[in-house]
Amino acid sequence: MTRPSSDALYERACKVIPGGVNSPVRAFRGVGGTPVFFKQANGAHVTDVDGNQYIDYVASWGPMLQGFSFQPVVDAVREQAQLALSFGAPTEIEIDMAELICERVPSIEKVRMVNSGTEATMSAIRLARGISGRDKIVKFEGGFHGHGDSLLVKAGSGVLTLGLPDSPGVPADLAQHTLTLEYNNLAAIDQVFDAYGREIAAVIVEPIAGNMGCIPPVPGFLESLRTQTANHDTLLIFDEVMTGFRVASGGAQQLYDVQPDLTTLGKIIGGGLPVGAFGGSAEYMDQLAPVGSIYQSGTLSGNPLAMRSGFALLSSLDADQYRSLEQQTTRLVTELKKVARANGVDTVINHVGAMFSIFFTEQSEVTCFNHVNDADAERYRKFFHGMLAEGVYLAPSPFESAFVSTCHTDAILDETVMAADKVFSQFA
Ligand code: KE4
């Protein structure tokens, strides 16, 4: 499979866009080679600028739960575009969207729309700090919450040492307020609250990790976070930008029956257009301007085009579809494990709802960032390019999740497994 047009476009792009991409992960640095440029997509398939078609498992990093070019979304966007793209003034569709989110996610009584997951998490952190009057926050190693300064922070030397900037440009005296724990480590939660308890404004966590590959919470992890935060008047923030409306109608908080104080959302709620959101109790959310004094704003927040797109997607989803997504993903993972084993390739494949990840490792399980780091990233690179050559487009990084849509039929899953069998056979 050759991609001369992609290669030419990449060369042109690099002259005017940093790294030729508008978001780093797209640049293939995680797998080597140069990015594929796409021109159209439909259902579970994407087509690149050279006319090559692939079965897609990136789903634009999550939004395409009903597949690409989902007709109700296309129709809603086309209709709204004829009326107006944005007013910068309130519209009815924003209320419809807010009501739908509050109905689907009971822990959310009020919600504020923004334009990305980063804006959602950044704003939720500010809200938690404003409510609590505290500065410290806790996040988890391998957790990604967008590129807000307080969240681009890595662990200090020890679990209780203050954070260090994880990117140039993040002030050290801001980073020091962020503590980073090991995901799924219950003892670390107790330690950090014993040490800093009532100094902690918020804990922000992906209730199912998706940004170090897919890693479900171990029993008791989310419950321990809920107990410790409640005991110390710390706000618990579930970053459901990826898991929201993907793993269940009510997200991971419904699946694991643990209610956070604040929830951040994105991806699926935009249906492919730029949307983020954060929500929680009316008591908390009414502390935001213009009711309260905690400031947050956005020119295009809640714009009717993106609202119509997200509303069309969300309102198309029902319990049967979530059951089917779970069944299809389980079927795919089961078959992938079989062909990997049959070819003597050691893997751990984690999955929850319609998201999964393949780790090339002899470890029996992958439950934290250290396990991911001990996995064989070179084998992932080989697998990625092998599958690409077979017409299957996976995430161009071993630290991402793969996504199944309602358009991934049995035939498409069988095709995927056959491709994997062929690629694994070349691993020997
Ligand atoms: P955005 O600012 O990219 O819309 O959302 C940031 C974000 C927040 N929280 C979670 C749990 C997320 O997964 C993300 C963004 N996810 C990545 C993929 N792992 C987006 C892809 C990219 O960075 O280009």
Side-chain angles (χ1 to χ4, degrees):
M1 191 181 283
T2 59
R3 290 188 289 272
S5 303
S6 267
D7 296 343
L9 287 175
Y10 183 56
E11 194 178 332
R12 191 176 134 209
C14 286
K15 294 190 175 85
V16 286
I17 304 171
V21 294
N22 281 308
S23 197
V25 71
R26 304 176 191 173
F28 273 33
R29 296 292 167 92
V31 290
T34 55
V36 180
F37 281 66
F38 292 101
K39 68 177 177 186
Q40 70 188 75
N42 194 285
H45 291 96
V46 290
T47 305
D48 71 18
V49 291
D50 291 291
N52 302 308
Q53 190 180 71
Y54 309 83
I55 298 170
D56 171 79
Y57 287 95
V58 175
S60 182
W61 301 104
M64 308 307 176
L65 192 63
Q66 291 271 36
F68 289 87
S69 307
F70 179 54
Q71 201 56 50
V73 167
V74 173
D75 294 344
V77 168
R78 183 178 285 133
E79 186 185 301
Q80 185 59 41
Q82 297 292 346
L83 296 170
L85 301 185
S86 178
F87 300 97
T91 57
E92 184 176 1
I93 185 65
E94 290 167 80
I95 310 169
D96 297 339
M97 187 66 158
E99 287 172 344
L100 183 56
I101 289 173
C102 292
E103 177 200 320
R104 296 277 174 88
V105 189
S107 68
I108 297 179
E109 293 177 339
K110 288 194 175 182
V111 60
R112 171 64 58 83
M113 307 311 294
V114 293
N115 300 282
S116 70
T118 294
E119 268 191 81
T121 57
M122 187 178 76
S123 307
I125 294 287
R126 182 178 313 127
L127 178 59
R129 282 173 164 158
I131 289 168
S132 64
R134 304 173 184 175
D135 292 338
K136 281 188 175 49
I137 61 169
V138 172
K139 66 179 285 282
F140 293 86
E141 204 172 19
F144 181 71
H145 307 286
H147 61 90
D149 279 351
S150 286
L151 294 161
L152 285 182
V153 176
K154 63 190 173 200
S157 54
V159 71
L160 297 184
T161 51
L162 306 181
L164 303 170
D166 203 10
S167 162
V170 174
D173 56 17
L174 178 64
Q176 67 174 333
H177 298 298
T178 303
L179 295 149
T180 303
L181 307 183
E182 182 179 66
Y183 194 79
N184 276 329
N185 184 331
L186 278 71
I189 297 169
D190 294 341
Q191 281 172 5
V192 81
F193 274 94
D194 289 347
Y196 296 106
R198 308 196 72 79
E199 295 177 52
I200 303 172
V203 173
I204 185 165
V205 65
E206 293 178 65
I208 299 162
N211 285 287
M212 49 175 152
C214 173
I215 297 185
V218 298
F221 176 63
L222 298 179
E223 293 80 356
S224 168
L225 285 174
R226 180 63 285 177
T227 303
Q228 285 283 21
T229 49
N231 290 346
H232 294 86
D233 295 324
T234 295
L235 278 84
L236 179 57
I237 303 172
F238 273 10
D239 179 355
E240 296 225 43
V241 166
M242 185 184 288
T243 56
F245 305 106
R246 170 160 287 279
V247 298
S249 175
Q253 57 195 271
Q254 178 189 36
L255 213 54
Y256 295 101
D257 195 21
V258 174
Q259 289 219 336
D261 297 301
L262 298 176
T263 300
T264 56
L265 297 165
K267 298 179 190 283
I268 287 173
I269 65 170
L273 293 187
V275 178
F278 62 108
S281 68
E283 179 201 353
Y284 284 156
M285 295 302 287
D286 279 346
Q287 297 198 41
L288 283 170
V291 184
S293 55
I294 301 170
Y295 197 71
Q296 181 277 333
S297 63
T299 303
L300 293 172
S301 296
N303 78 78
L305 190 69
M307 292 295 99
R308 290 291 305 273
S309 172
F311 188 83
L313 179 54
L314 282 190
S315 45
S316 74
L317 295 163
D318 61 26
D320 288 342
Q321 276 160 320
Y322 282 108
R323 266 190 295 279
S324 167
L325 283 162
E326 169 71 41
Q327 286 160 4
Q328 290 300 85
T329 308
T330 302
R331 181 174 181 278
L332 174 62
V333 166
T334 304
E335 293 307 311
L336 286 173
K337 285 176 181 174
K338 273 185 199 163
V339 293
R341 211 167 21 250
N343 286 285
V345 178
D346 291 321
T347 62
V348 165
I349 307 180
N350 289 342
H351 72 101
V352 181
M355 59 194 276
F356 70 96
S357 286
I358 299 176
F359 301 96
F360 292 93
T361 180
E362 294 171 5
Q363 300 168 97
S364 58
E365 60 179 9
V366 175
T367 60
C368 65
F369 193 56
N370 284 340
H371 292 166
V372 178
N373 269 335
D374 289 346
D376 187 332
E378 188 46 45
R379 280 200 148 191
Y380 182 83
R381 279 189 275 277
K382 194 171 173 181
F383 183 63
F384 171 83
H385 284 289
M387 293 294 271
L388 194 66
E390 293 299 319
V392 179
Y393 186 63
L394 297 169
S397 162
F399 299 101
E400 295 292 351
S401 294
F403 301 111
V404 174
S405 81
T406 55
C407 297
H408 283 76
T409 61
D410 287 352
I412 286 174
L413 300 186
D414 291 345
E415 211 179 319
T416 305
V417 173
M418 278 169 58
D421 188 20
K422 184 175 176 185
V423 174
F424 285 143
S425 71
Q426 295 155 6
F427 269 41

